[in-house]
Structures are given as C-alpha cells and as structure tokens.
Amino acid sequence: MCPTTLSYSSNSCINARNEIFSYQKCRRKLLIRAEVLTVSPKKKEKSIDELLSVQGIAYTHRRIREVVWKQTHVVNDLLCCRNPSFDPVFLDEAYELCRKICAEYAKTFYLGTKLMTEERQKAIWAIYVWCRRTDELVDGPNADYMNNSVLDRWEERLEDIFKNKPYDMLDAALTDTICKFPLDIKPFKDMIDGMRMDTRKSRYANFQELYMYCYCVAGTVGLMSVPIMGIAPECPVSAQTVYNAALHLGIGNQLTNILRDVGEDALRGRVYLPQDELAQYGIRDEDVFARNVTDQWRGFMKEQIRRARFYFNLAEEGASHLNKASRWPVWSSLILYRKILDAIEENDYDNLTKRAYVGRAKKLATLPVSYARALSLPSLAIQ
C-alpha cells in the first residue's frame, strides 16, 4: 500500500482501545450538515457524536488535542531551540529543491499552493518533501532493504532536525520551517510509526485498527499543515475544530488511496480493508487475491466509499476556515479525491482489476472550481 504520505513503540503508540470513543464519551458541540449521511434536508441535523456512533468511527484522541494545544499556544522558541544560522543562498537552494520535488510529484497540489504567501509556500513544500521521503522508505526503490533499524535512524534524524542539526539540504529546509512556524514533533514521529506498521502488518481486523493506520500515515499531514496554512483571523470556530477537519481530510484521502489501490496491494499480499466488514459480506482474502468482482464486493465497496465521503464532508468546513490564501490546495485535494471515488463507481466498483484514474484534463478542470470554493465564505457555521 502506498501511504499518503505505525507499529507502535511502547512510548509513542496510541492504544487503539483508548482511541475509540463510545457514543457517551464522544460528546461534541460540533454540528454538521444533515446530508453527510444522505439524510433528507428536511430532517433535523444530527450531532457529530450521533453520526460517529452510526459509523462506528474512532475519533480524535487526547494526544491529538495536546498537539493542537502546543501548536496554538506555545511560542516558537519553545518548539525550536533557536533560529538556525544558514547561509541565505544555501537556504534558497534548499527550498528551490523542495519546490521542484513538489511540482514534479504533486502537480495539482503544487499549483494550489501558488496563492499562498512565499513563506507559507516554502514551508508547505518542505513538509511535503519530508513526508514523501518518509513514505519512500517503505514504498520506494529501496523498500526491500527496509527494517526497523532504518526507521529508528530516520527518527533520530528527525529529532536532529528539530534540534537545528539537519543532515542535508532538504532537512535544512524543514529545520528552517520549524523555526518559523509552531510545529510539534509528535505528528512527524507518528508518521514514522506508520511506516513501522507497514513493515509488520498486512491485515486490519476492524476499522478502528485501519483508522489508526490512516491517522498515522495521512491524518498527521493535516496536523502538520494547519500551522503553515494558518487559520482565518475571522474564523468563528475553535482551532480544535479546524484541526479536526484537517485530520478528517487526511483520513478521507488515505481511505480513498486504499480503495483505489486494492488490486495493486493484493499483488503484494496486502489487504488494507477491515476484515470484520469483509466477512459481513462473505468476502475472504482469497476472493480479493483472485480479483473476484461480485455483487457482494460491490455492496462492500459502496459502504467503503460512503465512509470516505463521510470524512470528506467532515473536512469541508475546516477548509473554509483556513487562511484565505491557503484554501486552494486543500479544496483541490478535496475535489480531486472525491473524483477518484466517482471513478471507482464509474468502473462498476472494479478496483481489483482496474485502477480508478482521474485524467490530467479532469484534474486541471478541478482547479477553477476549487479556486472558487477557496474564495467563498463558509456556508455553515460550526459551533
């Protein structure tokens, strides 16, 4: 599976049982649109705790709230020891290299960053590059040589980046970014833990387990990105609400990646789908490996797509509360990933022998739409 971007150590793991908030514990004031679960607009809106209870979805945990608090209340000097003394020319070259990598491998997202201020552009490129390099440890050309020792060394290198001791030019760009924006190390470490999970785990018993994987390899990107993109000064909701939305976008994106790549992952002996839900439809791993697209498979996929869209709907309002200049790449991602889900449906839910594909023309067509959404005011105030 190519993550968007964790086996858990005893210090950094998040116990899955502590992750899953019951209906009673998941009280939230947040209200979302009734149509999130295709409820008639005439019906009363359901609260977030009701919707999460219906979906059986693991929700934000205490550690994420700690990250939000640190990144919104702690001054930069406490997150990064001191400003690094890099030669300006060297730093410009480092960010230019980050820009080129982002432009090459994430074209639509890169175009979406063009409205951001120069400082925010550079920072988001640096984060993208670090996430990509982390992902390539387990999915890149040297993945066959991957082991926990390599990931341990990568985590030590991350700690050095946060201590103003970068190893190379690309690390230096991230060190500079960390000293300009209030970034906590926790989401970065969680992403590395996600790579550890990929090296030892190829099945997920239920959605709660899969959720944790999605959080680590993609939800963390949302937590990293909010301080860079910024929250609109006039935002009527709490920072936690905006962070939750960013987290939900990452979860939705990774669920979509999983659904798009089911066939490719099966060739590698991996099934990134909830085993208990497969069993409910009478589907075994052998059926996935045999690429049998049956009515049972179509029914199962409809529910998986419904869940991914649920997360995108949760993410939508947060996108409208980011700094206005930073909304375009987020809306581009929302619209593009929804189109991947549409493509799976257009393929009659055959994601075992076909890869859902959004062509270049369709991708470019999303840019003006996402641009318009980025400039629009939030259509719903979340309280």
Side-chain angles (χ1 to χ4, degrees), residues 55 57 207 248-249 251-257 259 301-315 334 337-338 341:
Q55 292 290 322
I57 297 172
F207 180 65
H248 292 144
L249 177 58
I251 298 294
N253 284 353
Q254 187 60 22
L255 289 173
T256 301
N257 285 340
L259 300 181
M301 287 310 305
K302 288 177 182 179
E303 289 305 312
Q304 302 307 305
I305 290 173
R306 175 182 168 90
R307 175 181 279 150
R309 285 179 173 147
F310 170 79
Y311 272 109
F312 288 141
N313 287 339
L314 289 178
L334 262 169
Y337 271 77
R338 280 172 164 159
L341 297 176

Side-chain angles (χ1 to χ4, degrees), residues 19 21 28 58-62 64-65 211 240 244 247:
E19 272 296 306
F21 283 26
R28 293 287 184 272
Y59 197 54
T60 280
H61 47 75
R62 179 178 57 85
I64 291 178
R65 290 199 296 272
Y211 173 90
Q240 182 70 56
N244 285 346
L247 174 67

